[in-house]
Amino acid sequence: MRGRAFVLAVVALLSVPATAQTRGDDPYFNAAQAGFNALQVDTRLWLQIFLTSAGHWPAVPNVTFSRRLFDATRQYQLSRGEAPTGVLTKPQIDQMLASASSVLAGWRMRWVPHPTRGRQLWVPIGLDLQATRTDLGVEMREPRNRFKLRFNAIPATNVRATYEATLREMVGSGDTINFKVVRNDFFVITGNQGRYSRYVRYHTDGDGILGFDMSWSDDDAPVYGNRLVTVISGSLWATMTGAPFPSIQRGGYPWEKPTEPEVASQQRPAAPPPLPAPQEPAKVRFSTGSGFFVSKAGHILTNAHVVKDCSTITARPDGAVAVAAQMLARDAANDLAVLKVAGPAERSLPLRPSIRLGEGIAAFGFPHSDLLATTGNFTLGNVTALAGLRDDSRYLQISAPVQSGNSGGPLLDGSGNVVGVVTAKLDAIKVAEAQGDLPQNVNFAVKSSLATSFLDANQIAYDAGTFGEKLEPADLAERAKKASVFITCR
């Protein structure tokens, strides 16, 4: 949300009369909290990002209103020589927006995926970053060495061990440690040495950890490192915990083709074959695909291409009749869409945001519904690569056989968690013609980390999966079948 629309949305709900006093130690806190809670989730987050960018809020954006955020708002008002009510007025928001917008314009934030894990991180591509692949991920530098960020995935380690090793390394190199915290699933260490500051944050990710190590020189334009690291840290925290975070455009790496971010964000491993144009006006477009419930309230996740250009969409749950489905959101770039039918759903599937190379998986869907069983098709396989065609980190490559109609179906781990959304298969005939070899079982799925981010961005609640007891194939098939739906697009 930007500019006037943002101002109007915040002012309408936060600008309450100063006489709106309530009980408590501070007569304005409850009024400010009520106004904040009335905002949409995205507006709450953008408000804090603007405050951070303008230099008034040093904490990760959150959807809840805290005493700390209230006090920060009051300090901002005091800096203008105005009454510290904690309730922003339109002139205050206008001034804050003007200050923040110039900083955000210099950063030009985009999200990028980790090259192998697919986790998202916001980065300031406006600083003309030079990105280089590394053994652990990617390193990005500003040409004048005022900013450096390493986005790493470290396998076969844990938070505690890396925290202790990083702390020893920073102290040994002469850093003054300003802040440190370690928990079971993440750690943060900040320090400085002269005019250089450093911030290290890692989270548990599968059997290893994932995070970033950022350093910067001074804290002035265009870097504003202390502000920038707060926004970047918030983006990592959100993608690792499933917390909501605003949606922005994807950025591109130099080794991706094309390198323009907006173009790179539209790449897919394999686009669905184009449907022939109708020869007669009377013909009606008809296609089918798969989907699965992510909430008991009736939210269905599928591929964007499954529900492209539909005038009507129906979804048929297991053992039930087809019902009308409404499309709530669609992301063509990442080939994801979410539908809604009247709930409740009998079963939904939890989403697990990571998976290991070689891990066993299962696919369920409704391929070739005109020929095969209309009750669904279950196949087994393995994760054969943690990236798609040309190292596209948004996708998994899988060996489980899939056919036309499987698109949008769930890709499950051995415990019944969704780890991907089946999306495409390699065109074997074209590859055989070009390479002289016939590939088999080369199929792709959108990673569940992208799916959870998509659901978060659209405020769709879902269950987070954990790797638990391994199910027998028959039990896994029954679970997938109960939560899957046959989708018809007309």
Side-chain angles (χ1 to χ4, degrees):
M1 186 177 293
R2 295 289 190 273
R4 181 172 176 79
F6 178 86
V7 172
L8 293 176
V10 177
V11 169
L13 291 165
L14 291 189
S15 296
V16 299
T19 55
Q21 300 183 8
T22 55
R23 295 180 180 178
D25 296 335
D26 191 309
Y28 297 102
F29 177 83
N30 289 348
Q33 183 181 50
F36 179 87
N37 290 341
L39 296 170
Q40 292 186 355
V41 169
D42 247 24
T43 306
R44 298 183 206 176
L45 298 171
W46 273 119
L47 172 63
Q48 293 168 80
I49 290 171
F50 276 111
L51 281 168
T52 296
S53 303
H56 301 288
W57 177 233
V60 167
N62 204 301
V63 297
T64 59
F65 189 78
S66 64
R67 174 67 63 171
R68 187 181 178 193
L69 178 56
F70 177 67
D71 290 340
T73 306
R74 287 159 52 100
Q75 287 299 316
Y76 166 58
Q77 293 171 320
L78 283 170
S79 71
R80 290 171 49 90
E82 297 171 345
T85 65
V87 179
L88 294 174
T89 64
K90 185 178 185 301
Q92 291 167 354
I93 293 173
D94 283 335
Q95 190 274 332
M96 180 267 293
L97 185 65
S99 298
S101 295
S102 63
V103 176
L104 286 167
W107 289 342
R108 199 150 57 91
M109 302 297 288
R110 297 288 187 268
W111 73 263
V112 296
H114 186 273
T116 60
R117 299 297 293 172
R119 299 291 198 174
Q120 298 184 17
L121 192 73
W122 282 26
V123 298
I125 67 170
L127 300 183
D128 296 324
L129 301 183
Q130 300 169 347
T132 307
R133 281 291 297 267
T134 67
D135 291 340
L136 300 178
V138 60
E139 180 178 285
M140 291 167 272
R141 289 178 178 267
E142 190 262 347
R144 295 175 58 184
N145 208 33
R146 293 176 293 179
F147 170 90
K148 181 178 73 173
L149 185 146
R150 289 174 292 189
F151 189 17
N152 295 332
I154 307 175
T157 189
N158 58 63
V159 162
R160 176 66 65 173
T162 307
Y163 165 81
E164 293 173 351
T166 303
L167 188 60
R168 287 195 301 269
E169 180 259 320
M170 291 178 69
V171 172
S173 65
D175 284 338
T176 299
I177 304 302
N178 300 319
F179 176 80
K180 57 183 179 179
V181 61
V182 60
R183 299 287 186 264
N184 291 333
D185 56 347
F186 83 99
F187 78 86
V188 175
I189 305 176
T190 70
N192 73 285
Q193 189 171 160
R195 62 192 183 94
Y196 284 92
S197 299
R198 185 176 174 189
Y199 180 104
V200 184
R201 183 182 192 118
Y202 280 89
H203 287 248
T204 298
D205 187 38
D207 68 338
I209 61 173
L210 182 141
F212 71 95
D213 187 339
M214 172 178 155
S215 58
W216 64 95
S217 169
D218 292 328
D219 189 33
D220 51 11
V223 177
Y224 295 110
N226 286 321
R227 309 179 197 182
L228 178 58
V229 76
T230 300
V231 176
I232 295 175
S233 183
S235 72
L236 179 69
W237 176 76
T239 196
M240 298 305 294
T241 63
F245 209 70
S247 297
I248 58 173
Q249 290 178 303
R250 184 191 189 279
Y253 290 121
W255 52 85
E256 294 177 329
K257 295 181 180 180
T259 57
E260 284 296 320
E262 289 77 12
V263 178
S265 68
Q266 298 175 21
Q267 291 179 310
R268 294 182 187 169
L275 293 168
Q279 298 300 310
E280 300 176 7
K283 282 192 175 182
V284 177
R285 179 186 183 274
F286 177 85
S287 63
T288 63
S290 307
F292 58 95
F293 286 109
V294 293
S295 80
K296 294 291 181 61
H299 293 99
I300 298 168
L301 193 62
T302 186
N303 283 148
H305 75 260
V306 169
V307 291
K308 180 182 179 182
D309 299 328
C310 304
S311 58
T312 60
I313 304 171
T314 61
R316 189 194 70 205
D318 180 60
V321 298
V323 295
Q326 175 189 6
M327 184 160 60
L328 298 184
R330 186 172 176 271
D331 180 358
N334 292 312
D335 202 12
L336 293 170
V338 63
L339 312 177
K340 177 71 168 64
V341 298
E346 179 181 351
R347 178 184 288 274
S348 61
L349 296 173
L351 280 76
R352 173 187 162 203
S354 62
I355 192 166
R356 301 173 61 191
L357 181 67
E359 197 168 320
I361 47 86
F364 189 89
F366 301 89
H368 293 300
S369 58
D370 55 337
L371 298 173
L372 304 180
T374 58
T375 53
N377 190 283
F378 178 80
T379 58
L380 294 170
N382 297 89
V383 175
T384 53
L386 296 175
L389 290 176
R390 301 179 183 89
D391 283 332
D392 192 326
S393 60
R394 293 173 295 164
Y395 296 87
L396 298 170
Q397 182 180 322
I398 58 174
S399 63
V402 299
Q403 310 296 332
S404 175
N406 268 108
S407 291
L411 186 72
L412 305 171
D413 67 9
S415 300
N417 303 304
V418 174
V419 293
V421 182
V422 176
T423 189
K425 62 179 295 182
L426 195 66
D427 192 325
I429 302 301
K430 288 185 177 179
V431 174
E433 292 174 350
Q435 305 291 335
D437 184 36
L438 185 65
Q440 297 189 14
N441 291 341
V442 179
N443 307 308
F444 302 97
V446 178
K447 290 180 178 177
S448 58
S449 56
L450 285 182
T452 56
S453 296
F454 172 66
L455 293 172
D456 288 338
N458 289 283
Q459 303 174 38
I460 307 298
Y462 58 90
D463 292 328
T466 57
F467 191 74
E469 180 182 358
K470 188 174 182 180
L471 301 175
E472 291 294 328
D475 296 326
L476 194 60
E478 182 179 1
R479 179 170 299 190
K481 185 172 182 289
K482 290 291 185 184
S484 295
V485 298
F486 176 65
I487 295 175
T488 301
C489 168
R490 298 178 187 273

